[in-house]
Amino acid sequence: MKTQVAIIGGGPSGLLLSQLLHQHGIDSVVLERKTRDYVLGRIRAGVLEQGLVRLMEEAGCADRLHAEGFTHDGTQISYGDEMFRVDFAALTGKPVVVYGQTEVTRDLYDAREKAGGALVFNVEDVVIHDAETDNPRVTYRVGGKAEEIRCDFVAGCDGFHGVSRKTIPDTVRREYEKVYPYGWLGILSRTRPVNDELIYANSERGFALCSMRNERLSRYYIQCPLSDRVEDWSDTAFWEELKRRIPADQAARLETGPSIEKSIAPLRSFVTEPMRWGRLFLCGDAAHIVPPTGAKGLNTAASDVHYLHNALRDYYASGSSAGIDAYSEKALARVWKTERFSWWFSSLMHRAPDQTPFDHKMQLAELAFLRSNRAAQQAMAECYVGLPY
Ligand code: APR
Ligand code: PHB
């Protein structure tokens, strides 16, 4: 098989790239190791920056997003029984859109299938060959049969556990990582969200987040020890702990109910440099991971896809390699700023096991400063709504 761009990974990065390339007449093949249903079964964060909304519009996939997404002009931040609002619209002129990232992926799958896009599921043993030459190849197995794709470029959109990143030689690849000493226990429940906006809560007992998918579907998280297992937490225990971590007036209005999904996720900051090796380009979680506190996973994948699809479009339209040559440096510049924000917000809102009373006082002082200082709120809001591409 021959194509212009072989895309490894049928998550949001790979699908968005494939659809945008299609819009510019560039052929691609998406290789996904799981099934579509498996990919869509993954519950992921639900806050979209305007940059991602614009890309979905460019990809012709924003109708449902505009119909069902919720525009949020701000967020609530609480500590103990104190709570204050950061007004994104007033501080930056931009909102965010609350819309499940699973739905983004679903919309992208629908668009690719409607356009007759080449999506290959249940692939195994994907190997990238000759990435450092002008004739890269990708081999894989599907249905027990060996296959090969000859292509001009390879996009590694296969997430943190994929094969693309490791194709870059150890002697070239540099990795930076921070593993946080806590996780997030999350539940989904068919209950009315406790507040019209998200609540990020710092409490003596640890972090909590009150989020939502729609008026009757709520998403809640509480920080938990890495040693915890999902089976350690009954729904009742979860709700009681959440109530202890949010302001009393919010706890009093919290609607509880059975969880329809419950899981624990670890928190990690991770960046790979460079994000390009010859004709292989890394996008999204294949290149970087952020703790979910700032909801930046997909939003940072989106800026990678923005840079890469524009670079490839220029290459095929004019033969210019300026965009592909600048891709890694340009993408990493924004990645590192987003990594910083996600690390800062996580450190501000969580209680590390080794946190000292002084450390906690510093958190409370920073929260009080954020509450009272417009410049501090503007800096936070600019990062939260999304730094420029
Ligand atoms: N071959 C083919 N596909 C693979 C391979 C492989 N060797 N390894 C992984 N994959 C697939 C996974 O099954 C997954 O569907 O690649 C996809 C990667 O998708 P994600 O992990 O969601 O990564 P990405 O598309 O970059 O999404 C970025 O979006 O969903 C949010 O917050 C989430 O941070 C994440 C962001
Ligand atoms: C979510 O709704 O799942 C969500 C929202 C905001 C975050 C993280 C997760 O920062």
Side-chain angles (χ1 to χ4, degrees):
M1 187 190 315
K2 175 109 177 67
T3 190
Q4 290 171 296
V5 184
I7 299 174
I8 303 174
S13 295
L15 294 167
L16 180 56
L17 177 64
S18 179
Q19 181 63 9
L20 287 166
L21 291 173
H22 166 74
Q23 300 288 75
H24 296 301
I26 299 166
D27 291 331
S28 64
V29 176
V30 175
L31 301 178
E32 168 53 51
R33 73 176 170 186
K34 299 293 188 182
T35 64
R36 169 185 166 142
D37 288 346
Y38 183 96
V39 174
L40 291 175
R42 293 190 293 236
I43 303 288
R44 293 287 176 80
V47 177
L48 278 54
E49 297 173 359
Q50 286 303 298
L52 174 50
V53 174
R54 297 287 88 78
L55 281 175
M56 289 293 281
E57 290 168 350
E58 185 181 343
C61 302
D63 291 350
R64 202 160 68 98
L65 163 59
H66 286 308
E68 299 176 18
F70 294 82
T71 298
H72 280 209
D73 287 331
T75 192
Q76 304 289 337
I77 293 180
S78 73
Y79 50 109
D81 275 335
E82 297 293 323
M83 189 157 88
F84 65 96
R85 182 169 187 264
V86 177
D87 187 337
F88 304 142
L91 292 160
T92 71
K94 287 186 245 176
V96 293
V97 173
V98 173
Y99 183 70
Q101 286 180 14
T102 306
E103 303 317 310
V104 169
T105 308
R106 190 189 314 281
D107 295 338
L108 288 166
Y109 264 125
D110 290 348
R112 292 309 301 127
E113 286 165 358
K114 187 176 170 190
L119 304 170
V120 186
F121 294 102
N122 296 311
V123 302
E124 299 174 310
D125 306 330
V126 171
V127 178
I128 301 165
H129 305 269
D130 307 329
E132 68 281 21
T133 73
D134 288 344
N135 304 291
R137 298 176 296 120
V138 178
T139 57
Y140 62 97
R141 299 180 63 78
V142 64
K145 190 163 169 288
E147 301 285 352
E148 177 181 87
I149 299 177
R150 286 174 289 105
C151 52
D152 299 332
F153 299 101
V154 181
C157 302
D158 46 350
F160 185 67
H161 302 289
V163 296
S164 301
R165 180 173 69 250
K166 302 181 187 82
T167 302
I168 301 177
D170 293 346
T171 53
V172 173
R173 193 175 76 245
R174 299 177 301 280
E175 297 186 350
Y176 304 85
E177 182 173 52
K178 175 181 177 60
V179 177
Y180 295 81
Y182 38 77
W184 277 20
L185 168 62
I187 71 162
L188 202 59
S189 61
R190 297 195 194 287
T191 54
R192 177 180 42 78
V194 70
N195 196 292
D196 293 339
E197 295 183 323
L198 273 60
I199 304 175
Y200 289 88
N202 175 307
S203 86
E204 296 273 349
R205 302 176 65 90
F207 172 77
L209 171 60
C210 303
S211 184
M212 68 214 45
R213 294 289 178 271
N214 59 50
E215 296 97 338
R216 289 303 304 170
L217 195 57
S218 298
R219 181 71 167 157
Y220 294 104
Y221 301 93
I222 57 174
Q223 171 190 340
C224 66
L226 285 173
S227 54
D228 276 11
R229 297 165 304 151
V230 176
E231 49 269 27
D232 297 338
W233 285 89
S234 68
D235 287 359
T236 303
F238 180 91
W239 293 120
E240 288 314 306
E241 186 58 36
L242 176 64
K243 286 178 184 175
R244 293 189 188 103
R245 300 190 185 189
I246 58 179
D249 66 324
Q250 301 299 311
R253 47 182 290 153
L254 179 69
E255 181 183 336
T256 64
S259 59
I260 57 175
E261 192 273 344
K262 193 188 297 181
S263 55
I264 291 180
L267 274 65
R268 179 198 314 269
S269 297
F270 179 88
V271 179
T272 299
E273 292 184 351
M275 288 176 57
R276 176 202 182 177
W277 171 245
R279 288 186 169 234
L280 167 63
F281 299 88
L282 303 184
C283 263
D285 277 18
H288 41 73
I289 297 286
V290 285
T293 320
K296 292 301 174 194
L298 178 57
N299 290 301
T300 312
S303 49
D304 294 346
V305 169
H306 166 81
Y307 298 131
L308 184 56
H309 101 265
N310 279 313
L312 292 170
R313 185 193 60 199
D314 292 350
Y315 174 82
Y316 283 110
S318 66
S320 166
S321 64
I324 55 179
D325 292 341
Y327 169 73
S328 181
E329 185 178 351
K330 200 165 192 179
L332 282 167
R334 189 178 189 273
V335 163
W336 277 115
K337 291 173 189 164
T338 306
E339 287 285 347
R340 183 214 61 85
F341 169 69
S342 301
W343 160 81
W344 168 80
F345 200 23
S346 300
S347 306
L348 178 64
M349 300 305 290
H350 291 76
R351 295 213 70 188
D354 62 350
Q355 186 182 66
T356 66
F358 179 81
D359 296 336
H360 188 45
K361 280 294 188 183
M362 287 296 98
Q363 282 186 337
L364 295 178
E366 178 138 21
L367 285 162
F369 179 66
L370 183 62
R371 181 175 197 170
S372 61
N373 185 284
R374 181 182 171 85
Q377 287 197 12
Q378 180 147 19
M380 185 253 177
E382 293 286 2
C383 292
Y384 195 96
V385 300
L387 296 172
Y389 282 3

